[in-house]
Amino acid sequence: MRKFIIAAAATFAVAGLAACGESAADRQAEQQADALEAQAAATPNEAEETRLNEKADMIEQQAGNADGGLTTENTPNTSPSTANPGQ
């Protein structure tokens, strides 16, 4: 449940930032990635969580690359599995 709350909060934060000057394709990709991240946060299976987060990261990267890479340089790794390796 904690993961889901964190993912939901992150989704709303990203949605607020995402509204700043992005294309419809970028918004659609972000929505797809957010849905995958929320699904990943809700699963108790670590391997499935990792797979879903990696897929979400790939979608975000591809959307960033579609605009010439302007949004990929500072794209964070959103996978909880790799972001906090000590946990």
Side-chain angles (χ1 to χ4, degrees):
M1 183 66 174
R2 188 179 123 219
K3 286 182 181 182
F4 183 74
I5 292 169
I6 292 169
T11 299
F12 289 116
V14 169
L17 292 174
C20 301
E22 67 181 353
S23 70
D26 287 340
R27 284 189 297 275
Q28 182 180 7
E30 188 63 39
Q31 287 175 348
Q32 289 176 336
D34 288 347
L36 288 170
E37 289 167 348
Q39 190 178 352
T43 184
N45 182 312
E46 185 75 20
E48 181 71 2
E49 177 185 357
T50 299
R51 186 187 70 75
L52 289 167
N53 278 317
E54 287 173 352
K55 187 172 181 180
D57 289 343
M58 182 180 67
I59 289 170
E60 290 173 333
Q61 285 294 118
Q62 287 174 343
N65 288 336
D67 67 6
L70 295 175
T71 59
T72 59
E73 185 174 315
N74 63 353
T75 302
N77 182 348
T78 58
S79 173
S81 299
T82 57
N84 298 312
Q87 293 183 349

